[in-house]
Amino acid sequence: MEGINKTLKIQFFFRPFSTHPEVQMVIFVAFLLMYLTSLGGNATIAGIVQVNHSLHTPMYFFLANLAVLEIFYTTSIAPLALANLLSMGKTSVSITGCGTQMFFFVFLGGADCVLLAVMAYDRFIAICYPLRYTLIMSWPLCVELVAGSLILGFLLSLPLTMLIFHLPFCNDNEIYHFYCDMPAVMRLACADTHVHETALYIISFIVLSIPLSLISISYVFIVAAILRIQSTEGRHRAFSTCSSHIIVVLLQYGCTSFIYLSPPSSYSPEMGRIVSVVYTFITPILNPLIYSMRNKELKDALRKTLKTSR
């Protein structure tokens, strides 16, 4: 009990990117701009889908939900990271606050990965079974798939977060990161973490490999169906619709796999921190940009909305 009380009183600090205030300020401005751009871009996507009845289809329903997920996902990280940058690493977070941030990060990140697999399934049905699309992708099913993504993210996040924060933490309380990432926090535990590392690897493997396998299988059938389309314009339209989703999948899964599926012995705190910037700040910016640039219906809806608002 004394050990638990001691652990609960611990305050974590995040290591600054630089010891120079000027460099920290530049990084702060860059992070703030990326965060605001991400919020603006994803809110725009969600808003356009909501107000344009022509986009009230399963494909855009999933896209709008992905945008909302990205907003919450980035917001679970950005405020504390920005405060830490501004204070030169003097902003503390309690072990409860760190666990809460970790829970929401894993919960929303896991739901994000599952939702990308759902979007691949939607494209698979649309291209391989176009005549049965509206029958198969009914609105109740779409809602259930989004709810299922959230439930799976929750069920994966809660036990893993509880497992890690049952570890004892002693004197070393500086996290070599800009948020409470699991590998970085586990390195501070003053106990054997092999079981925890194994649990993290297994859950990460489930969250990443199973949805990615389903996405890959879907796209094998999608590509085969597209190649059978006689019209060049039809093939181009189908590839254009799918390519934006593929780019987002590669960015999301590539970076997270690098961090969570690498052997613990090869984990580099500095590299982990740099790669994490990509999927916590940069990818949420690229998602709306990639989808809006490569999707004619979305661009047309955006122009229509802008003209109406003038």
Side-chain angles (χ1 to χ4, degrees), residues 39-101:
L39 289 183
N42 284 294
T44 300
I45 293 284
I48 289 171
V49 173
Q50 177 66 30
V51 301
N52 284 273
H53 291 287
S54 62
L55 300 181
H56 289 181
T57 63
M59 174 183 171
Y60 293 106
F61 172 72
F62 294 133
L63 180 57
N65 277 277
L66 180 67
V68 172
L69 264 181
E70 293 284 15
I71 290 171
F72 285 107
Y73 175 72
T74 312
T75 302
S76 71
I77 301 297
L80 186 59
L82 290 169
N84 182 64
L85 284 164
L86 208 55
S87 67
M88 288 293 294
K90 294 177 183 176
T91 300
S92 65
V93 59
S94 66
I95 194 164
T96 304
C98 193
T100 302
Q101 185 188 56

Side-chain angles (χ1 to χ4, degrees), residues 41-176:
N42 284 294
T44 300
I45 293 284
I48 289 171
V49 173
Q50 177 66 30
V51 301
N52 284 273
H53 291 287
S54 62
L55 300 181
H56 289 181
T57 63
M59 174 183 171
Y60 293 106
F61 172 72
F62 294 133
L63 180 57
N65 277 277
L66 180 67
V68 172
L69 264 181
E70 293 284 15
I71 290 171
F72 285 107
Y73 175 72
T74 312
T75 302
S76 71
I77 301 297
L80 186 59
L82 290 169
N84 182 64
L85 284 164
L86 208 55
S87 67
M88 288 293 294
K90 294 177 183 176
T91 300
S92 65
V93 59
S94 66
I95 194 164
T96 304
C98 193
T100 302
Q101 185 188 56
M102 184 182 289
F103 166 77
F104 280 106
F105 173 71
V106 178
F107 163 42
L108 296 167
D112 198 313
C113 289
V114 177
L115 188 55
L116 286 172
V118 169
M119 293 172 75
Y121 174 72
D122 172 64
R123 291 299 82 209
F124 162 70
I125 298 298
I127 292 171
C128 297
Y129 301 98
L131 299 178
R132 297 173 58 195
Y133 178 72
T134 54
L135 182 64
I136 297 173
M137 298 303 296
S138 62
W139 281 112
L141 177 62
C142 292
V143 172
E144 288 169 6
L145 288 171
V146 171
S149 300
L150 294 171
I151 291 168
L152 283 172
F154 177 85
L155 292 176
L156 290 167
S157 177
L158 185 62
L160 189 57
T161 306
M162 291 177 64
L163 183 68
I164 289 176
F165 280 92
H166 270 80
L167 283 168
F169 296 94
C170 304
N171 299 321
D172 187 6
N173 61 350
E174 185 185 58
I175 301 174
Y176 200 134

Side-chain angles (χ1 to χ4, degrees), residues 28-302:
F28 168 81
V29 172
F31 273 41
L32 179 61
L33 289 174
M34 286 190 290
Y35 177 51
L36 294 177
T37 304
S38 169
L39 289 183
N42 284 294
T44 300
I45 293 284
I48 289 171
V49 173
Q50 177 66 30
V51 301
N52 284 273
H53 291 287
S54 62
L55 300 181
H56 289 181
T57 63
M59 174 183 171
Y60 293 106
F61 172 72
F62 294 133
L63 180 57
N65 277 277
L66 180 67
V68 172
L69 264 181
E70 293 284 15
I71 290 171
F72 285 107
Y73 175 72
T74 312
T75 302
S76 71
I77 301 297
L80 186 59
L82 290 169
N84 182 64
L85 284 164
L86 208 55
S87 67
M88 288 293 294
K90 294 177 183 176
T91 300
S92 65
V93 59
S94 66
I95 194 164
T96 304
C98 193
T100 302
Q101 185 188 56
M102 184 182 289
F103 166 77
F104 280 106
F105 173 71
V106 178
F107 163 42
L108 296 167
D112 198 313
C113 289
V114 177
L115 188 55
L116 286 172
V118 169
M119 293 172 75
Y121 174 72
D122 172 64
R123 291 299 82 209
F124 162 70
I125 298 298
I127 292 171
C128 297
Y129 301 98
L131 299 178
R132 297 173 58 195
Y133 178 72
T134 54
L135 182 64
I136 297 173
M137 298 303 296
S138 62
W139 281 112
L141 177 62
C142 292
V143 172
E144 288 169 6
L145 288 171
V146 171
S149 300
L150 294 171
I151 291 168
L152 283 172
F154 177 85
L155 292 176
L156 290 167
S157 177
L158 185 62
L160 189 57
T161 306
M162 291 177 64
L163 183 68
I164 289 176
F165 280 92
H166 270 80
L167 283 168
F169 296 94
C170 304
N171 299 321
D172 187 6
N173 61 350
E174 185 185 58
I175 301 174
Y176 200 134
H177 219 300
F178 58 89
Y179 68 94
C180 293
D181 195 23
M182 289 188 175
V185 171
M186 277 196 294
R187 291 172 70 88
L188 303 184
C190 48
D192 182 40
T193 60
H194 282 93
V195 172
H196 304 76
E197 289 169 0
T198 303
L200 175 59
Y201 185 88
I202 291 170
I203 291 177
S204 299
F205 184 80
I206 292 169
V207 172
L208 295 171
S209 65
I210 295 179
L212 185 57
S213 298
L214 294 173
I215 292 169
S216 301
I217 292 168
S218 295
Y219 274 106
V220 168
F221 288 103
I222 287 170
V223 171
I226 290 174
L227 293 176
R228 290 197 298 269
I229 297 174
Q230 300 297 321
S231 165
T232 304
E233 184 182 346
R235 282 199 301 269
H236 176 74
R237 181 181 172 82
F239 272 122
S240 180
T241 302
C242 297
S243 60
S244 53
H245 181 255
I246 293 171
I247 294 168
V248 171
V249 166
L250 290 175
L251 282 169
Q252 181 77 10
Y253 280 86
C255 293
T256 49
S257 296
F258 179 83
I259 298 295
Y260 295 104
L261 296 184
S262 297
S265 58
S266 66
Y267 176 77
S268 165
E270 187 60 40
M271 184 59 69
R273 188 162 64 167
I274 292 169
V275 174
S276 295
V277 173
V278 176
Y279 63 80
T280 55
F281 280 92
I282 298 176
T283 303
I285 295 174
L286 293 177
N287 284 0
L289 284 175
I290 290 167
Y291 278 110
S292 60
M293 284 189 299
R294 299 195 63 86
N295 192 297
K296 187 178 182 299
E297 288 179 328
L298 206 56
K299 285 191 287 188
D300 291 343
L302 178 58

